[in-house]
Amino acid sequence: MFKKAVEAKAQQRLSGADRKKLKRTIRDRFPRASDADIDALLPPKAEITVSKFQNRVHVYGVEGGFPLFFDVDGRGSEIYPTVFALWKLPEMLPYFMLKGGEVSRFVIGGADLMFPGISVAAEGLPSFSASEPWAVKVPGNPAPIAVGSTTMSSAEALKAGLRGKALRIMHYYRDLLWESVEGHYVPNSGFLEDVVLEDPSFLASNQPSDSSEGATCESDVQQSCVNNENTEGSVDVNGAISDACAASMQNDSENAAKEITTDASDLKSTANVDAAELDIELLSLSIEDVDSHLDRCLLQALHTTVKDKDLPMPGSTLWSNHVLPCRPSGITLDIKKSSHKKLSKWLQAKSSTGLITVKEDKYKKEAMLISVDRGHPEYLQFKPEKRLVEKVVQAGDSAASESRSQKALEVVEVYKSSVHVNPIFASVGADTGKLYSASEATDIVFKYIEKENLVKQTKKATVVLDATLCDALFKGAIKKGSTYPTEIHKKDLGATFINRMQAHHMVTRGGESVVRKGVLKTVQIMTERRQGNKKVTKVSGLETFLIDPEALASELQKKFACSTTVAELPGKKGLEVLIQGGVIDDVARHLLEQYGIPKRYIEVLDKTRK
């Protein structure tokens, strides 16, 4: 699931209704977790964010904290806790105990779990159904190392003689989901490492065995990995482990664990204490602390990322693109928890001190940053964190350049031969199934003219029409009874010939390219009034230019600080983006500048203007 790097295409906060829906889904899917347990993971007063990836995976977590749950298809039907969540609540999921450390080394390398690698208790295999979420643990450690979905029921497993794949691993310790947040969201970076890496029993259970039998077993497993390296699914590592080899590994790991002993109960209590301290650090900021962080982040942004050439700037852009990226690691900034309660009031308060100049846009009803007084005492006394700023700026530049490369658009109008012009193509030996540009198509008709010597000798700019060329240009286009022309000017020949061909268009954005039949349709942007004299802006036709409507809706929501939704076009195929407010000109400018759509392909209609 997280073996390959996938960039999040959008990240946003959950609304109150979505928070409740998420908690209901978690409560129904994980009956072992109580309401108090769920509140411990997702505190009621904490902001919950969702990151949406290109492969439809949704990752949920507390803002400024660890990812806690991930949804495989984004529909809520296949939601799983992350390893971070399971370290806080180890008993949320039932678990399989591994036979030894050699198996765990490959599980945390991305291999699926096979039945021969599972330690079955004396009372027998626990009962489970297919497609159930289960965790994976190693002997002597209460912290799970992976989470996955069962491939068959317990009855089917017993019938198969406990052979084959037991668990399809979705997420594991040190995969790319882990790497993507490690060092970025962890306010107390030692906490997670202390839980697993500094536990001697975990280290012992993951050390390679010195015995010859264990070495042979390990080489067999590695060979299995090599043989299956290029397969699309996960590597079946444990299928190469015989029962005797698994028993040998179990003995080796138990002997190593005895040499370095630890009290697992102490480890668990330590993890719980650290987790509690972590929640306190994230959530127990006073109003004065929030105000102080807001002021520091604003000054940091003014020193580092806010340039005079970017002004005037909407307050929402200042907040999302400049203030929030400057917050310290692990700190959640929520303007509602400050003494100002609203972004506009906070900016007006800073404007009253003279540090910045803020005015309200009477059309957008939004506070705009007009200027910055870089000679203000508060500005001069603040010393920005240079190391942090360099990292943020580099990351921002890299993301911006990558975003621009992904949004780069190329539109080419191409043409294909039709029944009208097929004889012309056949006469010069051109391929009738190929797509041609306008200049290439014109060259073909002029090759035919040269071949048949149709240029009028007394007037070189005129072409004499023979029966084949006349039919190609005018058959079916002239009314019955009308006289067919006998000659045509060269300057009119190319356009007339192209109009008789089948029009196609090829759209390329980044590495994606598509060819469609017909003339390229425009993007329609329309503003109309709703009940209560409210305006709404609709954008449709985005699919023509390979734009994801959901991704655009998320962008515009952040850019304009307004509500956006995506809905199906009534009676048509496709989706439209609905934006709260009359932002028709801003949307057109955004599509032109950020997505490279030419002006001639943007159709604007404002129904609110008289």
Side-chain angles (χ1 to χ4, degrees):
M1 181 60 63
F2 298 104
K3 291 181 181 180
K4 296 181 180 179
V6 181
E7 182 185 0
K9 66 179 183 180
Q11 183 174 3
Q12 62 191 47
R13 293 179 178 178
L14 291 186
S15 63
D18 289 336
R19 289 161 59 97
K20 293 178 181 178
K21 181 180 178 181
L22 175 63
K23 288 192 173 184
R24 283 198 304 268
T25 302
I26 294 172
R27 190 179 297 111
D28 295 341
R29 186 161 172 81
F30 309 114
R32 286 171 165 245
S34 63
D35 290 344
D37 291 336
I38 297 175
D39 287 340
L41 292 176
L42 303 173
K45 295 184 179 180
E47 293 290 348
I48 301 176
T49 61
V50 56
S51 299
K52 299 179 180 180
F53 292 81
Q54 298 286 351
N55 55 0
R56 297 185 178 181
V57 176
H58 290 186
V59 178
Y60 300 91
V62 175
E63 185 176 20
F66 310 112
L68 297 174
F69 296 92
F70 63 94
D71 190 351
V72 174
D73 58 2
R75 299 177 180 176
S77 58
E78 291 189 70
I79 193 167
Y80 296 85
T82 65
V83 172
F84 301 100
L86 290 177
W87 284 3
K88 282 190 174 185
L89 295 175
E91 303 304 322
M92 175 185 287
L93 289 182
Y95 62 88
F96 291 117
M97 184 67 71
L98 299 182
K99 284 185 176 180
E102 295 297 334
V103 179
S104 68
R105 290 180 59 199
F106 293 100
V107 169
I108 62 176
D112 288 344
L113 179 62
M114 311 297 289
F115 279 109
I118 298 175
S119 177
V120 180
E123 56 270 20
L125 190 70
S127 176
F128 55 85
S129 302
S131 301
E132 281 187 3
W134 277 61
V136 180
K137 291 185 179 182
V138 294
N141 195 306
I145 63 170
V147 61
S149 173
T150 54
T151 60
M152 64 181 77
S153 65
S154 54
E156 293 171 334
L158 292 172
K159 186 177 180 180
L162 295 182
R163 308 296 297 179
K165 188 182 298 184
L167 200 66
R168 184 164 62 95
I169 300 299
M170 300 288 190
H171 162 55
Y172 53 89
Y173 173 72
R174 289 287 186 184
D175 65 1
L176 287 176
L177 176 61
W178 177 289
E179 297 291 344
S180 66
V181 300
E182 189 179 36
H184 299 280
Y185 294 98
V186 188
N188 179 10
S189 59
F191 161 60
L192 296 180
E193 301 296 333
D194 291 344
V195 174
V196 171
L197 293 184
E198 294 185 6
D199 174 29
S201 63
F202 182 86
L203 292 172
S205 63
N206 282 278
Q207 296 301 319
S209 172
D210 293 333
S211 66
S212 59
E213 186 175 1
T216 303
C217 196
E218 179 181 354
S219 64
D220 292 342
V221 175
Q222 290 175 341
Q223 184 62 37
S224 175
C225 285
V226 173
N227 294 337
N228 291 277
E229 185 177 1
N230 296 323
T231 59
E232 181 178 356
S234 300
V235 183
D236 288 349
V237 173
N238 299 321
I241 303 176
S242 64
D243 294 337
C245 185
S248 173
M249 288 189 298
Q250 182 182 11
N251 295 334
D252 292 337
S253 63
E254 289 176 355
N255 293 335
K258 289 178 181 178
E259 295 176 3
I260 310 175
T261 57
T262 185
D263 188 354
S265 61
D266 292 342
L267 169 66
K268 188 172 182 179
S269 62
T270 302
N272 291 337
V273 170
D274 287 346
E277 292 175 356
L278 180 63
D279 285 340
I280 292 172
E281 183 174 354
L282 285 172
L283 304 174
S284 62
L285 292 176
S286 63
I287 294 178
E288 292 77 12
D289 292 336
V290 175
D291 289 345
S292 176
H293 281 301
L294 286 174
D295 294 344
R296 287 185 60 83
C297 290
L298 175 62
L299 288 168
Q300 180 77 19
L302 296 180
H303 272 275
T304 57
T305 60
V306 178
K307 308 300 181 184
D308 291 336
K309 64 179 181 180
D310 299 328
L311 302 179
M313 179 185 297
S316 57
T317 302
L318 173 68
W319 173 260
S320 59
N321 294 352
H322 300 278
V323 175
L324 284 182
C326 290
R327 68 186 187 272
S329 178
I331 296 299
T332 302
L333 277 184
D334 188 349
I335 196 70
K336 295 179 182 178
K337 296 180 181 178
S338 68
S339 60
H340 307 283
K341 303 300 182 184
K342 292 184 178 180
L343 177 64
S344 58
K345 290 185 177 180
W346 174 56
L347 293 177
Q348 290 292 348
K350 301 308 296 182
S351 179
S352 63
T353 65
L355 174 63
I356 57 177
T357 302
V358 176
K359 290 184 180 180
E360 183 180 0
D361 190 321
K362 62 181 180 179
Y363 297 104
K364 298 180 181 179
K365 302 298 181 181
E366 180 182 8
M368 302 286 292
L369 175 62
I370 305 300
S371 63
V372 179
D373 183 3
R374 303 193 184 273
H376 193 274
E378 191 175 354
Y379 182 89
L380 296 175
Q381 292 173 5
F382 180 79
K383 295 182 179 180
E385 301 176 15
K386 295 183 179 180
R387 185 175 302 176
L388 176 63
V389 171
E390 290 171 359
K391 183 176 180 181
V392 171
V393 171
Q394 290 172 3
D397 292 343
S398 174
S401 62
E402 185 176 354
S403 176
R404 283 193 294 269
S405 66
Q406 290 179 349
K407 294 177 182 178
L409 176 70
E410 182 181 358
V411 179
V412 179
E413 294 179 347
V414 290
Y415 304 89
K416 188 177 180 181
S417 177
S418 65
V419 292
H420 303 293
V421 299
N422 277 343
I424 304 295
F425 278 76
S427 178
V428 298
D431 186 0
T432 57
K434 182 182 174 183
L435 293 172
Y436 297 88
S437 65
S439 60
E440 291 172 341
T442 305
D443 289 343
I444 289 175
V445 69
F446 275 102
K447 283 182 181 179
Y448 177 81
I449 292 171
E450 183 180 355
K451 177 185 175 184
E452 301 295 333
N453 194 20
L454 298 179
V455 177
K456 193 172 184 179
Q457 297 300 322
T458 58
K459 195 175 183 181
K460 299 293 184 180
T462 303
V463 175
V464 178
L465 300 178
D466 63 1
T468 303
L469 184 57
C470 185
D471 287 346
L473 298 179
F474 299 109
K475 186 177 181 179
I478 295 180
K479 294 181 179 180
K480 292 183 177 180
S482 300
T483 304
Y484 279 83
T486 57
E487 56 185 40
I488 186 172
H489 199 282
K490 283 184 178 180
K491 68 178 182 180
D492 300 326
L493 179 62
T496 306
F497 185 76
I498 290 172
N499 286 336
R500 301 285 283 177
M501 298 178 68
Q502 297 178 8
H504 288 69
H505 60 273
M506 181 170 61
V507 181
T508 304
R509 185 180 296 281
E512 186 178 0
S513 181
V514 63
V515 178
R516 297 189 181 97
K517 188 176 180 180
V519 180
L520 189 65
K521 296 181 180 179
T522 59
V523 173
Q524 296 85 36
I525 309 175
M526 180 176 63
T527 297
E528 60 185 19
R529 295 189 185 276
R530 292 287 178 88
Q531 292 181 349
N533 202 27
K534 294 181 179 179
K535 295 182 180 180
V536 62
T537 302
K538 299 179 178 180
V539 186
S540 59
L542 297 169
E543 295 87 352
T544 302
F545 297 92
L546 304 181
I547 299 176
D548 184 0
E550 293 187 358
L552 179 65
S554 179
E555 284 182 30
L556 299 181
Q557 181 183 29
K558 296 176 183 178
K559 184 177 180 64
F560 303 137
C562 62
S563 174
T564 61
T565 57
V566 178
E568 293 186 2
L569 282 169
K572 298 180 181 179
K573 184 179 180 181
L575 300 173
E576 67 176 353
V577 178
L578 283 75
I579 309 155
Q580 184 182 20
V583 291
I584 186 169
D585 295 330
D586 296 325
V587 172
R589 189 180 303 111
H590 184 76
L591 293 176
L592 179 65
E593 295 175 355
Q594 298 298 323
Y595 287 90
I597 301 179
K599 284 184 179 180
R600 64 181 183 276
Y601 295 126
I602 300 178
E603 182 180 351
V604 177
L605 176 61
D606 191 349
K607 291 186 176 181
T608 63
R609 294 176 183 174
K610 296 182 180 179

